[in-house]
Each structure stands twice: as C-alpha cells, then as structure tokens.
Amino acid sequence: MKSDVVKKGVERVPNRSLFKAMGYTDEEISRPLIGVISAKSEIVPGHIMLDKVSDAVKRGILMAGGTPIEIPAIGVCDGIAMGHQGMKYSLVTREIIADSIECMTMAHALDGLVLIPNCDKIVPGMLMGACRMNLPTIVCSGGPMLAGRVNGAKTSLSSTFEAVGKYNSGKITKEELLEYENNSCPGCGSCSGMYTANSMNCMCEVLGIALPGNGTIPCVYASRIRLAKYSGMKIMELVKNNITIRDILTEKSFHNALTVDMALGCSTNTMLHLPSIAHEAKVKIDLDMANEISSKTPNLCHLAPAGHTYMEDLNEAGGVLAVMKELTKANLLYTNLMTVTLKTIEENLKDAVNKNPEIIRPIDNPYSKTGGIAVLKGNLALNGCVVKRGAVSEEMLRHTGKARVFNSEEEAIKAIDGNEIKKGDIVVIRYEGPKGGPGMREMLAPTSRLAGMGLDKDVALITDGRFSGATRGASIGHVSPEAAEGGLIAFVKDGDLIAIDMIECTIKLLVDEAEINKRKANWVKPEPKIKTGYLARYAKLVTSASTGAIFKEE
C-alpha cells in the first residue's frame, strides 16, 4: 500500500503516534487509508448537506475494510458570487482545489480517493487533482436540487434571474418577484437545471468515474445516501484491483463525454472543464473535436434553461444511462470501456430504459440532428468561441447585427437596465476573459435580464468571458484570443456589423482589414484590473479559454 510509507516500520513510530493522537487504532492504521475529499460548507446550497454524503461514504469504506479520512475542500457558490466582483473568484478556485488535493494526497500518502463535490468548479478541480495523483478514485456528488414552484409551474435559479428582468421592464409586480425569490430554490442540492454543476456530475457518470445515478438522483432522496455507501464500498474494490483514475479516463472515455454532452445539451462550461481534466489525465482533446462530434450527435434533451424539464425529470426518465442507451442505437459511444463499477459501459447499460420519450427524445426523433453545443470560428474568434446552441431560438441561429461594445459586465448591465439595448443589437462584453477579467466571470445577470425583458430572441451577446449553464439565448462566450491578449474582440467599435451563423459555426466581424489594422496600430493594452493577490498571480499563469484556461506549463 502507498500508505505504508507513513505507517510501517520502527522509523514510523512518530508518524503512528500522530495517528493515535487522533484516536486511530492499530487496526485502522493497518488498513488502506482512503481520502474522503468533501467540499461541505455553509455557503453553497449544493454543499451544505455534503456531511451527510461523506458520512455515508465513510460507512461504505468501513464496511468494505478501509479507513476513511475526511479532508475538506473549498467551493464558491456561483449564484451568490454572480453579478459582482466575487465572480472573478469562481473559476480560479478550480486550480486551488486541484493543487490542494495534490498537496494533501502526497503529504499523507493516501491509498485511494473518494471525491465529494457538487457544484461548478469543484467537480473539475477535484478531478484534475486526482488525475495528477493517479490513485484509485471515485466521485460521489451531492445531487441536484428539486425544482421550485411558482404559480403552479416548475422553476429554478435561472427563473429568479429572469424575474429581475421582468420586474425591471414592468412585466411583473414586486410581490410576484418575491414569489420567485422565495420559491424557486426549495432546498439543498445543485441548482435544478442542466447548469454547470449538474452537467459535470453527469459527465462523471459518462466518463465512468462515478456510479450510475451520480448525475441525476436528487440530493434529498434516500437513494443518494445509498449511492454514497456503495461508492465507499466500491473504492475498496478499486484499491484492491489497483484500478486508477487514469485507467478509466482515456481518450475514448472523453470522446463519450463530449458525445453525451451534446445529446444532453450541457453547459458551455464543459468546454472549459473537460479539456482541463483531460490535460491532467494526459489526454488531448480540443474544441475542433467538439464540433466534429456535435455534427453527428443528435440533441435529445431540453432541460432548463433550454426547456421546461429539470434534473428530477431526467432522473425519473432513466437518467444518464437512458440517454447513453439511446446513443448506442446509432453506435455513437465506445461501450467496451472499464468504469468504477468494475464493469464495462456495455454491461452498465444492459438494463437501462428510456422511461419517458418526452424528456429523453428517442434517437430517431431528436430536438435537432446536431448537438446542443457549438464552437464558432472566424476572424472574431480565431481560436474559437462557444454557444449553447440547444438553448437558442431558431430565428437567432443566423443573425447579423450592430455591435454595442462594453469593457465590463457592469457597463453592459447598466445599459440593459437603462433600456439602451434594442432589437437586433449584438452586445459585446470584453476584457472579461481569463487574463482580462481576471478570472473569466460568468455573466448570467446580463443574459437573464435580456431574457426576462423578452429580448432573448432578438439580441445576441458575445464575450471573452463565459456564461452560466443557466444562460439561454444567443449567448456566445469564451471568445479566443481574448481582448487582453489583443484578440480582435478588443478592436470592435459601436455600430460594427457582426455576422453569426450557428449552423455553419462561423462568427465574423464585418470590417475590412485596412480599418482593423488602423485600429490595431492605435491600441494601447490596458492596465491589469487587479495587481495584487491571487487574481494577479492567476492572470500571469492562466492560458486561453480555448485550451481550458489551464495554467502555463514551465
């Protein structure tokens, strides 16, 4: 066992004495030491109950003959951080989480890891750190929140953001706005639509690094606790058989993840996180692969914000396995891959059934013949940009409009709230990328304001920042190169025409080369927005969104 280095032999008497100072017995010390990495906190709805999940995981480990050792991890609530400077600190925590797992695992010579995340950056951050360590590893997330109810209709977090736009434009009263505030998020769990957290937890299932049900079983269901116990038991089998995380996270498993991503219509943030996880797993994937896979993968689900169904509905319809089963009918998945069940994907899918073809469209009756995410390229985004095409109205799939340019999210929101944005406009928000932000803020506030005002079918938004998975409409993010690196988005002016084609996957600034070169000659790179602390260091180390916003390698 790897942990022998901290517990065996006469020279380890001091080490064992410290274990015993915490109450560990000789019997516990002799067993495999399993790190239970829990992101439990009292500031994230998806994490406030993770102590219950970690307790169940630890029971499973004990039942299977291991010694669980709980270790904390940080996590930012994107919803609470949204719309102010706090959002700059969201994506950047992914690297802190990965680094902390590396530090704690190496320092204490653990034999295996159970990762207990739930929201946004915590899932990829934990996976990135675990990939570096290449130990037997399993993910057991906290599970999605149930949908809320307002006026008899299901709602979610995105409903509250859009309600602000409705209120500001006089479409609802203050009392109706309070109804959304009080009833859209009814309890703990990751927010109930196909947002980033649930997207990544579903991806863990597809990648084979989590047990079936990880992505969809609601947080408050007893079956979530049973799943946690089984995860604790299963990690001991993985340790016994020395099956490590990089044995499971292969090139083919990432191909499967991108495929199911397109079928589910996941968050555009998967286009940041899957490449970053793959990088740590020593696997190469890029945005061009995403478009290639999207071109032949039908979109089978329209979960919120793309439609009016929620994670609980997907769970009842058969979950991620039912979606995968549909995709196998067109031979779109590799099914001979090993998973943490110690069975292949084919074996895991044996009993999967699509129980509701209204929630999970059959493969021969998709919402569209192409995937829910598209990567656009053109002079405005030479290295690509990303849009959740499955959440865009048909009339906006092709759009040409005049640019309204803003150098920050705050400037754009002020203009939107001031009714300065008109039908047909293309809002451009720049200097919000990984370096320029710094931190590449999600911008759910401006997109949901536009949707709430009824402009989501008339106004596009383009940014070198990114969007929440709760965003819908023609919201195009991750523009690379970003403005802070001298990308063409830095040289767009008010009134410039921009042509967007989400069918042909192109995005073009319709300004001639001579004028562009003239603007470039007069460009002065702006001073960094933040010059001290972690964000300043992050800005110096981070790479482009097109490479997953990973850190530069020495």
Side-chain angles (χ1 to χ4, degrees):
M1 290 185 290
K2 292 184 183 294
S3 59
D4 286 350
V5 72
V6 297
K7 64 187 186 184
K8 278 201 170 182
V10 173
E11 67 276 12
R12 293 304 176 222
V13 165
N15 308 62
R16 290 195 297 274
S17 73
L18 292 170
F19 276 101
K20 290 180 177 181
M22 294 179 280
Y24 289 101
T25 65
D26 286 324
E27 290 80 3
E28 288 174 302
I29 295 169
S30 69
R31 294 169 183 161
L33 304 183
I34 308 300
V36 179
I37 315 295
S38 172
K40 198 272 182 189
S41 74
E42 295 182 350
I43 194 62
V44 187
H47 291 190
I48 195 165
M49 72 306 159
L50 288 186
D51 54 337
K52 304 295 189 298
V53 177
S54 61
D55 284 348
V57 166
K58 288 187 285 185
R59 287 188 180 216
I61 292 169
L62 289 167
M63 283 190 282
T67 297
I69 299 175
E70 188 167 348
I71 297 169
I74 66 167
V76 167
C77 177
D78 280 12
I80 294 173
M82 194 75 67
H84 60 95
Q85 293 297 304
M87 180 46 73
K88 293 179 184 290
Y89 286 89
S90 174
L91 178 62
V92 304
T93 62
R94 190 184 70 180
E95 319 310 311
I96 295 175
I97 294 164
D99 290 347
S100 65
I101 287 176
E102 176 187 347
C103 292
M104 295 300 285
T105 302
M106 290 298 292
H108 304 103
L110 301 174
D111 295 304
L113 298 173
V114 181
L115 308 178
I116 306 178
N118 210 22
C119 296
D120 295 274
K121 269 52 64 192
I122 298 89
V123 181
M126 285 189 178
L127 283 171
M128 289 165 68
C131 284
R132 292 180 199 168
M133 299 300 94
N134 198 27
L135 294 172
T137 302
I138 190 168
V139 175
C140 181
S141 77
M145 184 186 294
L146 294 175
R149 297 288 193 284
V150 174
N151 297 326
K154 288 184 178 181
T155 59
S156 61
L157 179 67
S158 57
S159 306
T160 66
F161 279 90
E162 292 184 15
V164 174
K166 291 178 181 178
Y167 174 73
N168 287 344
S169 58
K171 294 185 176 181
I172 61 173
T173 66
K174 192 170 185 179
E175 291 71 26
E176 289 173 310
L177 181 63
L178 187 61
E179 281 288 309
Y180 282 98
E181 178 179 329
N182 289 338
N183 299 304
S184 291
C185 298
C188 58
S190 50
C191 296
S192 56
M194 187 54 80
Y195 310 151
T196 307
N198 293 324
S199 295
M200 290 308 302
N201 285 320
C202 289
M203 291 299 96
C204 289
E205 269 195 65
V206 182
L207 287 165
I209 201 63
L211 294 179
N214 179 75
T216 61
I217 296 173
C219 165
V220 295
Y221 282 14
S223 50
R224 174 61 59 175
I225 298 301
R226 292 198 296 273
L227 183 79
K229 290 177 181 176
Y230 285 128
S231 296
M233 288 186 273
K234 193 60 68 173
I235 188 63
M236 298 310 300
E237 291 186 52
L238 294 169
V239 169
K240 180 181 178 181
N241 290 279
N242 195 31
I243 298 173
T244 69
I245 188 169
R246 295 208 312 245
D247 291 332
I248 293 170
L249 297 186
T250 64
E251 183 177 350
K252 289 180 179 179
S253 65
F254 279 101
H255 180 283
N256 283 352
L258 287 168
T259 301
V260 180
D261 188 344
M262 300 304 167
L264 282 171
C266 290
S267 165
T268 53
N269 283 315
T270 58
M271 295 297 102
L272 281 176
H273 299 321
L274 288 174
S276 66
I277 298 164
H279 174 77
E280 297 289 358
K282 311 300 181 188
V283 172
K284 173 71 172 175
I285 66 173
D286 56 37
L287 295 183
D288 291 331
M289 284 177 60
N291 258 7
E292 179 186 347
I293 290 170
S294 180
S295 69
K296 56 189 178 186
T297 304
N299 179 216
L300 304 181
C301 299
H302 266 190
L303 293 137
H308 300 288
T309 54
Y310 296 83
M311 295 305 295
E312 62 198 64
D313 301 312
L314 178 60
N315 186 64
E316 291 167 10
V320 173
L321 291 189
V323 177
M324 295 176 73
K325 189 71 169 279
E326 289 292 344
L327 293 171
T328 61
K329 295 175 183 178
N331 297 314
L332 292 173
L333 297 178
Y334 295 102
T335 59
N336 62 342
L337 309 181
M338 179 57 65
T339 71
V340 291
T341 64
L342 273 72
K343 298 178 181 178
T344 64
I345 290 173
E346 183 177 13
E347 291 172 304
N348 291 342
L349 293 179
K350 182 180 177 183
D351 297 321
V353 176
N354 182 356
K355 300 175 183 177
N356 189 338
E358 295 299 315
I359 305 297
I360 304 170
R361 288 280 187 94
I363 193 76
D364 57 359
N365 182 35
Y367 283 101
S368 65
K369 293 182 179 180
T370 54
I373 291 177
V375 176
L376 315 182
K377 286 191 174 182
N379 66 348
L380 191 56
L382 291 175
N383 296 331
C385 56
V386 182
V387 63
K388 191 169 184 174
R389 183 168 55 189
V392 178
S393 61
E394 188 174 352
E395 54 265 48
M396 288 298 288
L397 293 174
R398 286 192 169 108
H399 179 70
T400 298
K402 290 183 178 180
R404 290 296 313 279
V405 183
F406 305 95
N407 289 332
S408 70
E409 178 185 8
E410 287 82 2
E411 292 178 23
I413 290 175
K414 185 178 179 180
I416 292 168
D417 287 348
N419 293 312
E420 296 176 23
I421 306 303
K422 308 302 178 186
K423 289 185 177 182
D425 284 349
I426 295 180
V427 175
V428 177
I429 305 177
R430 62 192 178 194
Y431 297 107
E432 290 287 6
K435 287 182 180 292
M440 202 181 184
R441 285 192 286 183
E442 285 185 349
M443 283 177 264
L444 179 57
T447 60
S448 57
R449 293 277 222 287
L450 290 169
M453 295 164 71
L455 291 173
D456 56 300
K457 295 181 179 180
D458 302 289
V459 173
L461 197 153
I462 298 171
T463 182
D464 53 7
R466 62 196 178 94
F467 297 112
S468 165
T471 289
R472 64 185 175 96
S475 302
I476 300 163
H478 306 197
V479 170
S480 301
E482 62 175 289
E485 290 192 310
L488 189 58
I489 191 172
F491 308 104
V492 181
K493 289 187 176 182
D494 278 345
D496 287 349
L497 288 177
I498 297 174
I500 302 163
D501 191 329
M502 300 180 203
I503 298 171
E504 297 298 324
C505 297
T506 60
I507 184 166
K508 298 175 183 177
L509 176 65
L510 302 180
V511 175
D512 64 65
E513 280 296 316
E515 173 61 21
I516 290 172
N517 291 333
K518 182 180 176 182
R519 295 179 189 181
K520 287 182 176 181
N522 297 322
W523 185 60
V524 178
K525 187 175 181 178
E527 286 284 311
K529 293 178 183 177
I530 295 177
K531 299 180 181 180
T532 60
Y534 179 60
L535 285 180
R537 282 181 277 134
Y538 180 88
K540 293 176 182 177
L541 293 170
V542 72
T543 61
S544 167
S546 63
T547 56
I550 58 175
F551 277 177
K552 295 174 184 175
E553 295 190 333
E554 296 296 332

